[in-house]
Amino acid sequence: MNRHITHLCTLAAIILLSAFEVRAQQAPAFAKGADISWITQIEHLNKYQLVDPQGRPTDGFQMLKDCGMDMVRLRVWVHPEPDARDGQVWCDTRDMVAKAVRATQAGMQVMVDFHYSDWWADPQKQNVPKAWKGCDINQLADSVEAHTRSVLMALKLAGVTPTWIQVGNETPTGFMKPLGDAEQFPENFAILFKRGQQTCKEVFPNAITMVHIDNGFMLPRTEFILDILKKYQVDYDMLGWSLYPAMNWLATPPVIDLNWQVKANQCIDNVKTIYDKYGKESMIVEIGIPDDHEALCKEVIEYMIDHAPEHLRGLVYWEPITTPDFGYSMGALKQYAGSQYMANEGMRAFRHSPSR
């Protein structure tokens, strides 16, 4: 009974807030953007400065705009631990909302990326949040709803309306395992995804809800999850893919794949197949190249934009604004002078426009 009353109160709050909601712009025909979820922590560490090509100080959001981008993607974790680098908590609701507000103020659209975990969620690890451990499937679904609603209500209260919302991050075999393991418990996965997706639509009816799968060139990997959602009549609006075509992840360590056009073209072909089979459009919500291959990065980005088929609705870089603190080698910055960094040609390739 208490949960029912709480739910009604939340719905009443949503109705009251709707009159003041900042409406999201219509999704562009082809969105160009980046995940810059590290940006607030980079600023907090205050060891590196972002500059434009003339060496003038800039911030991350302006850098993206100067590179032709019109949206940002922002991850959100449930209860993340303080980061060892600075003892602060990042990518929780508070931090994500702060970045979303800045993006909106900069005239950029927002994609929310729910990981439904306390830390990174990807095909190798889909760990249930600590606070949700021991839940049965119904309790876990309730937790998904409560977390989703809480995060999105925080956005609404801050005057932000996301254009896209990912229900999970890279979920080719499910999420919140073991209960949400799509291979062992496909119905459970459908239940959890449906609860998250429906909650998104309750708070932001016009938001584009997304399924996110890795390796966009591997069609069966995507079909496995979409077939489960179809079987259990679970709705969503769009498919999001990760695609790192120039990387051979099977090598130890991973190496550059000079035959990257093969994977790129497979993903491009898969866009039409997914639309024909499921009636869903697609976005590439993660793409990236090692930052010491600047020319290759530019080539890949321009190729994907030039060859974007009709039902591919955007391209998102992961994660271009990264500094040496983070040990991530696939950003898109290069040193300007001393501790100053500017966008490399790969990031600036987003100024390219689709030919369609």
Side-chain angles (χ1 to χ4, degrees), residues 129-190:
K130 289 181 181 179
W132 303 356
K133 288 186 175 179
C135 290
D136 61 28
I137 186 60
N138 293 320
Q139 293 168 331
L140 190 56
D142 288 345
S143 296
V144 167
E145 177 180 339
H147 170 65
T148 304
R149 192 180 304 280
S150 174
V151 170
L152 297 182
M153 284 297 294
L155 281 175
K156 186 182 282 284
L157 286 166
V160 175
T161 300
T163 304
W164 308 268
I165 307 173
Q166 279 186 215
V167 184
N169 188 78
E170 291 191 330
T171 59
T173 59
F175 52 12
M176 291 171 279
K177 296 181 179 181
L179 282 183
D181 189 322
E183 294 177 315
Q184 297 187 58
F185 309 111
E187 185 175 7
N188 282 358
F189 171 75

Side-chain angles (χ1 to χ4, degrees), residues 13 41 48 67 71 118-119 122 134 147 179 183 209 236 246 254 257 277 288 293-294 325-326 340 352:
Q41 187 175 11
Y48 301 93
C67 290
M71 59 82 68
D118 291 333
W119 201 48
D122 55 44
H147 170 65
L179 282 183
E183 294 177 315
T209 52
Y236 59 96
D257 183 355
K277 184 173 180 179
H293 288 73
E294 183 177 359
D325 302 278
F326 295 86
Q340 295 180 323
H352 209 58

Side-chain angles (χ1 to χ4, degrees), residues 143-298:
S143 296
V144 167
E145 177 180 339
H147 170 65
T148 304
R149 192 180 304 280
S150 174
V151 170
L152 297 182
M153 284 297 294
L155 281 175
K156 186 182 282 284
L157 286 166
V160 175
T161 300
T163 304
W164 308 268
I165 307 173
Q166 279 186 215
V167 184
N169 188 78
E170 291 191 330
T171 59
T173 59
F175 52 12
M176 291 171 279
K177 296 181 179 181
L179 282 183
D181 189 322
E183 294 177 315
Q184 297 187 58
F185 309 111
E187 185 175 7
N188 282 358
F189 171 75
I191 288 169
L192 296 174
F193 187 96
K194 182 176 183 178
R195 187 69 72 88
Q197 194 272 348
Q198 287 182 333
T199 306
C200 293
K201 288 294 189 179
E202 287 180 11
V203 182
F204 290 111
N206 296 320
I208 298 168
T209 52
M210 304 181 75
V211 186
H212 180 204
I213 308 296
D214 66 328
N215 290 335
F217 59 93
M218 298 174 66
L219 185 60
R221 200 168 176 85
T222 296
E223 290 176 320
F224 171 72
I225 285 295
L226 299 192
D227 285 345
I228 290 173
L229 297 178
K230 183 176 181 179
K231 176 180 178 180
Y232 292 101
Q233 299 181 321
V234 178
D235 198 16
Y236 59 96
D237 298 313
M238 187 176 286
L239 171 65
W241 269 315
S242 296
L243 178 70
Y244 296 88
M247 295 303 299
N248 178 359
W249 298 112
L250 298 179
T252 307
V255 296
I256 293 293
D257 183 355
L258 296 179
N259 294 318
W260 60 268
Q261 287 190 12
V262 173
K263 294 176 184 175
N265 289 334
Q266 287 172 336
C267 185
I268 288 167
D269 290 343
N270 290 345
V271 170
K272 183 178 186 303
T273 301
I274 292 298
Y275 187 80
D276 289 345
K277 184 173 180 179
Y278 302 96
K280 304 296 182 181
E281 294 187 308
S282 305
M283 280 183 73
I284 296 173
V285 298
E286 291 189 23
I287 193 167
I289 311 294
D291 54 19
D292 58 353
H293 288 73
E294 183 177 359
L296 177 61
C297 184
K298 179 177 186 291

Side-chain angles (χ1 to χ4, degrees), residues 32-75:
K32 294 184 287 186
D35 191 315
I36 56 168
S37 298
W38 269 319
I39 189 65
T40 43
Q41 187 175 11
I42 289 172
E43 293 169 343
H44 175 78
L45 291 170
N46 197 30
K47 293 167 64 177
Y48 301 93
Q49 183 181 53
L50 301 179
V51 297
D52 67 16
Q54 288 73 47
R56 296 171 300 200
T58 189
D59 80 350
F61 297 90
Q62 188 60 49
M63 178 178 281
L64 297 191
K65 292 181 70 175
D66 289 345
C67 290
M69 300 183 184
D70 51 26
M71 59 82 68
V72 298
R73 176 178 182 259
L74 302 169
R75 61 180 166 270

Side-chain angles (χ1 to χ4, degrees), residues 298-312:
K298 179 177 186 291
E299 184 181 359
V300 171
I301 297 302
E302 291 187 349
Y303 184 90
M304 295 305 300
I305 293 174
D306 277 338
H307 293 81
E310 178 184 0
H311 298 295
L312 184 65

